[in-house]
Amino acid sequence: MLIKAPESGDVPKCSHHANLATNSRALRRQLRCPVALELLQYRLNLLENAYLRLQRQWPKVVAGPIPSFECFKVAVAVAYSRCFRSSQGDEPLNMVFAPLTDMMNHDHPTNKNVRAFFNEAGEMVAESTQHRSAGEQLLITYGELPNLHLLQSNGFTMSENSYDFAVVDAQRLLSMIPETNLQFLLEKSLLLPDPEGKVSRWQPVSKRLEKAIALYASSESNFLQQMVEDTLSTFTTGYGEDRQLLETLESQGDLDGASMRSLHAARIRFQQKRDLLKILN
């Protein structure tokens, strides 16, 4: 599919997800959450590298001017947030468009009221799982996804997300582990990799992380609590400040682009701090 750049060079009006993509730099300025910033920066790096490849290949296959980077980001955001993954038999996984179905919003798996799937003929089927009255919203699910994933991949967050989890700055732990042992911990899934395959500085709080702490920092008392405090110190906003901002934004009606970015940023910060403080308490 070819998405043609407008002749004026302006970014076309597009979906909420795509608008977030075109304003990713503004979103990063508002986030002020280190782990979310790292994930968004990595995604932006991928886009920039893909755009460089597009610039090299474009003259070989398309007659006309190369679209701007802003238009390219819109195209990627629209395609990524509107596509469904499909495979038939031994065929490789494909990304396909499914008009109308792609207009349904995401909710948690337990709240969905539509089951969307591909039948044996490769046709998209959207099947209601319960009776819905005219005017009621139809909901599908993208899966059990935390807000950190939803924001970087789909451009939105949810007000109440039971799949969120606390992420800590593990630099204190990583500095105590010999370099030769880091690969072992990755292979055993005791530590998670960053998008480039190296041990990530940011680790979810889990039994696996606690096991890694027991292996390499057992002599340190309250080590996990120290990492939580390290993580909280990386934020430049306070917990109460974020809660007040979040309550204000969520109580408003339609938000403009800047306010919507503030909402997502405040939601990410507040939920991370809330889950981190639960560990300390």
Side-chain angles (χ1 to χ4, degrees):
M1 176 181 179
L2 173 63
I3 300 178
K4 183 180 179 182
E7 294 181 3
S8 65
D10 295 332
V11 176
K13 292 183 178 180
C14 51
S15 70
H16 166 62
H17 302 337
N19 276 321
L20 272 177
T22 61
N23 290 284
S24 57
R25 295 186 188 279
L27 176 61
R28 293 203 310 279
R29 286 195 298 270
Q30 291 173 299
L31 263 177
R32 290 176 287 178
C33 175
V35 61
L37 285 168
E38 182 173 296
L39 291 172
L40 286 179
Q41 183 59 54
Y42 174 75
R43 185 165 291 275
L44 181 61
N45 291 344
L46 288 180
L47 282 173
E48 290 173 343
N49 290 334
Y51 184 66
L52 291 175
R53 294 195 298 273
L54 174 73
Q55 287 180 309
R56 291 193 296 268
Q57 296 299 321
W58 187 273
K60 301 177 183 178
V61 295
V62 180
I66 300 173
S68 69
F69 183 50
E70 295 304 311
C71 285
F72 174 70
K73 286 194 293 183
V74 169
V76 171
V78 170
Y80 196 93
S81 63
R82 295 296 182 190
C83 278
F84 289 82
R85 292 169 175 81
S86 167
S87 63
Q88 296 294 320
D90 296 330
E91 294 181 6
L93 190 67
N94 294 314
M95 299 288 286
V96 299
F97 284 100
L100 297 183
T101 305
D102 68 2
M103 299 299 292
M104 298 179 192
N105 283 331
H106 158 80
D107 206 336
H108 298 314
T110 54
N111 296 335
K112 71 175 183 179
N113 52 44
V114 171
R115 185 169 70 99
F117 61 96
F118 290 92
N119 62 19
E120 293 181 357
E123 301 165 328
M124 166 61 78
V125 177
E127 181 179 80
S128 176
T129 59
Q130 54 187 272
H131 175 74
R132 309 303 295 175
S133 300
E136 289 188 80
Q137 186 171 192
L138 298 177
L139 298 168
I140 58 175
T141 185
Y142 301 162
E144 300 176 354
L145 302 174
N147 275 342
L148 280 173
H149 179 95
L150 290 173
L151 180 62
Q152 67 155 334
S153 297
N154 299 94
F156 68 90
T157 58
M158 301 184 68
S159 59
E160 293 296 332
N161 193 334
S162 58
Y163 301 110
D164 279 336
F165 50 82
V167 178
V168 292
D169 182 351
Q171 195 61 45
R172 182 189 292 263
L173 174 63
L174 299 183
S175 66
M176 302 174 68
I177 302 175
E179 187 71 27
T180 53
N181 291 7
L182 290 176
Q183 186 61 37
F184 167 79
L185 293 175
L186 280 178
E187 292 172 356
K188 296 298 182 181
S189 298
L190 295 184
L191 294 177
L192 296 183
D194 63 15
E196 297 179 348
K198 302 176 182 178
V199 175
S200 176
R201 170 184 173 181
W202 305 99
Q203 296 290 330
V205 177
S206 64
K207 294 295 183 183
R208 293 180 178 183
L209 178 62
E210 292 176 3
K211 188 172 182 179
I213 292 173
L215 286 172
Y216 294 97
S218 58
S219 61
E220 302 283 336
S221 61
N222 301 319
F223 194 81
L224 177 59
Q225 285 76 7
Q226 293 177 43
M227 289 203 298
V228 170
E229 291 172 353
D230 288 345
T231 306
L232 288 169
S233 70
T234 64
F235 289 94
T236 59
T237 57
Y239 177 76
E241 176 186 353
D242 287 332
R243 180 171 60 183
Q244 183 176 6
L245 175 60
L246 187 57
E247 290 174 351
T248 299
L249 291 170
E250 288 186 334
S251 67
Q252 297 176 6
D254 292 336
L255 300 175
D256 59 21
S259 297
M260 185 62 72
R261 290 192 297 273
S262 293
L263 171 65
H264 294 311
R267 192 173 281 162
I268 289 288
R269 292 196 305 271
F270 173 76
Q271 291 172 342
Q272 277 298 304
K273 292 173 187 174
R274 177 197 61 196
D275 293 342
L276 289 167
L277 289 170
K278 285 180 181 178
I279 298 171
L280 294 180
N281 298 329

